[in-house]
């Protein structure tokens, strides 16, 4: 049985004379209109994409696997194979750019996965014009020298810069690929003749990017240029400066070894770079090179008293390679070092190891600490 008493009582209450007085009128809500924020315009989204897409690709470049060996066939970095290409590109790229429906990059024209056929130079130029990033990245991984080869009067980088501001992102992408190749170059490949040819072509392309001011967008461009310059033809200069720094280290604090090394690096950079603001962007490289000269100079002195392995000069200013080689050799010859080296040199070894160890301190700060200790301190 269902108890309907509450329902019946409610109906009776509605018909009672005092129901209207007992009912509560609900308060009226005042209108409060709210408009959603306007969505960004297509032009704004396009500008954001043009600014951020190249940076995202560069971040991916740094995380991508090591490129193949430079022993890829590279017949001639200045080979002239298609003189018509350089002038043909700007017309086609201009018409492509005027299309409002064209996206920032083209990803559709990559090679089929079934096999790889080395492209012709005109195909690389066409990929630059059409901003075909996937194709250019595949060329970077499979036929890197094609990104450096001069066709007619232009290289792919120069072609991108000649087209204008619309292709600045492609130019920056190519420079990022150049820097990546340098950083991943294996020690065993540096002395190969083909590698020397590629380094020479790289140096020309990187200097071109500096002259066009692209180092303002590509922070490590100047350092990559200096690395390439030293690796391609800087061995004689390094050996001469190591000798000078060794003499300064022998003289102790009076010889100002840190100042001597830093002045040599700055003089070399000023000679090779004509732009003052480009030299200012080189501070990290200068500090890295300064510490490497000190390490190479100290170890050169040690080799006069002990039988050990010299540190390869092509390690110079390539992150902490010289420091790691220095520490390995010191650890290998600890007993001989304690017995054969002078008290001053052993102290300099300890200072260099303690200051340069670790990555939490910038190279610039490390150089300042070394200056306080080896140049301005009390010495030994």
């Amino acid at each position: 049985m269902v108890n309907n008493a509450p329902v019946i009582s409610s109906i009776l209450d509605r018909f009672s004379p005092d129901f209207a007085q007992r009912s509560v009128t609900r308060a009226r809500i005042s209108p409060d209109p709210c408009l959603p924020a306007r969505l960004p315009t297509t032009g704004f989204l396009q500008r954001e994409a043009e600014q951020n897409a190249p940076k995202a690709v560069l971040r991916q470049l740094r995380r991508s696997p090591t490129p193949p060996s430079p022993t890829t066939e590279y017949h001639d970095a200045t080979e002239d194979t298609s003189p018509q290409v350089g002038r043909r590109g700007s017309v086609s790229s201009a018409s492509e750019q005027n299309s409002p429906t064209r996206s920032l990059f083209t990803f559709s024209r990559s090679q089929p996965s079934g096999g790889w056929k080395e492209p012709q130079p005109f195909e690389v130029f066409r990929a630059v014009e059409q901003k075909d990033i996937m194709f250019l990245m595949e060329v970077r991984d499979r036929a890197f020298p094609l990104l450096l080869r001069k066709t007619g009067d232009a290289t792919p980088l120069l072609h991108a810069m000649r087209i204008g501001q619309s292709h600045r992102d492609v130019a920056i992408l190519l420079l990022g690929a150049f820097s990546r190749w340098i950083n991943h170059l294996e020690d065993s490949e540096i002395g190969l003749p083909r590698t020397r040819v590629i380094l020479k072509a790289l140096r020309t392309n990187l200097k071109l990017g500096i002259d066009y001011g692209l180092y303002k967008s590509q922070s490590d461009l100047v350092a990559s240029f200096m690395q390439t310059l030293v690796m391609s033809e800087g061995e004689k200069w390094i050996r001469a400066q190591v000798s000078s720094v060794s003499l300064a280290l022998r003289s102790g604090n009076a010889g100002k070894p840190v100042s001597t090394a830093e002045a040599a690096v700055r003089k070399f950079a000023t000679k090779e770079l004509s732009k003052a603001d480009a030299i200012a962007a080189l501070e990290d490289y200068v500090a890295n090179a300064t510490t490497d000269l000190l390490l190479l100079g100290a170890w050169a002195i040690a080799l006069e008293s002990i039988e050990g392995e010299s540190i390869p000069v092509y390690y110079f200013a390539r992150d902490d390679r010289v420091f790691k080689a220095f520490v390995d050799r010191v650890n290998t010859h600890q007993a001989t070092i304690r017995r054969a080296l002078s008290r001053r040199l052993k102290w300099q070894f300890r200072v260099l190891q303690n200051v340069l160890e670790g990555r939490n301190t910038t190279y610039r700060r490390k150089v300042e600490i070394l200056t306080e200790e080896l140049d301005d301190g009390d010495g030994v």
Side-chain angles (χ1 to χ4, degrees), residues 134-179:
M134 293 301 290
F135 182 80
L136 291 173
M137 291 175 69
E138 193 164 11
V139 173
R140 176 206 69 187
D141 291 336
R142 295 174 179 264
F144 178 76
L146 284 177
L147 298 180
L148 305 170
R149 183 176 295 176
K150 188 175 182 180
T151 304
D153 63 344
T155 62
L157 175 63
L158 180 59
H159 187 55
M161 292 189 292
R162 281 177 176 174
I163 293 175
Q165 188 68 26
S166 63
H167 283 61
R168 184 183 177 93
D169 45 14
V170 179
I172 293 174
L173 178 79
L174 290 171
L175 291 170
F178 299 162
S179 298

Side-chain angles (χ1 to χ4, degrees), residues 243-255:
S243 177
S244 298
V245 173
S246 296
L247 291 173
L249 287 168
R250 291 180 197 275
S251 302
N253 294 48

Side-chain angles (χ1 to χ4, degrees), residues 78-126:
T78 59
E79 182 179 349
D80 188 347
T81 57
S82 178
Q84 303 285 331
V85 174
R87 291 181 291 276
R88 183 176 63 84
S90 58
V91 177
S92 64
S93 62
S95 61
E96 299 253 356
Q97 197 65 23
N98 291 333
S99 173
T101 58
R102 172 147 182 90
S103 60
L104 179 63
F105 295 131
T106 301
F107 295 94
S108 60
R109 208 176 53 76
S110 57
Q111 293 288 330
S113 58
W116 162 263
K117 180 181 178 182
E118 184 171 301
Q120 295 297 316
F122 79 89
E123 294 181 277
V124 178
F125 279 73
R126 184 173 63 191

Side-chain angles (χ1 to χ4, degrees), residues 309-344:
E309 184 181 359
S310 61
I311 300 174
V313 293
Y314 53 78
Y315 283 5
F316 181 77
R318 298 180 70 192
D319 296 324
D320 58 352
R321 294 194 184 194
V322 171
F323 176 71
K324 288 180 178 178
F326 177 81
V327 172
D328 288 343
R329 286 157 176 76
V330 169
N331 292 337
T332 301
H333 301 281
Q334 275 185 351
T336 311
I337 287 173
R338 282 196 298 266
R339 184 177 63 255
L341 299 190
S342 66
R343 180 166 167 261
R344 172 181 289 168

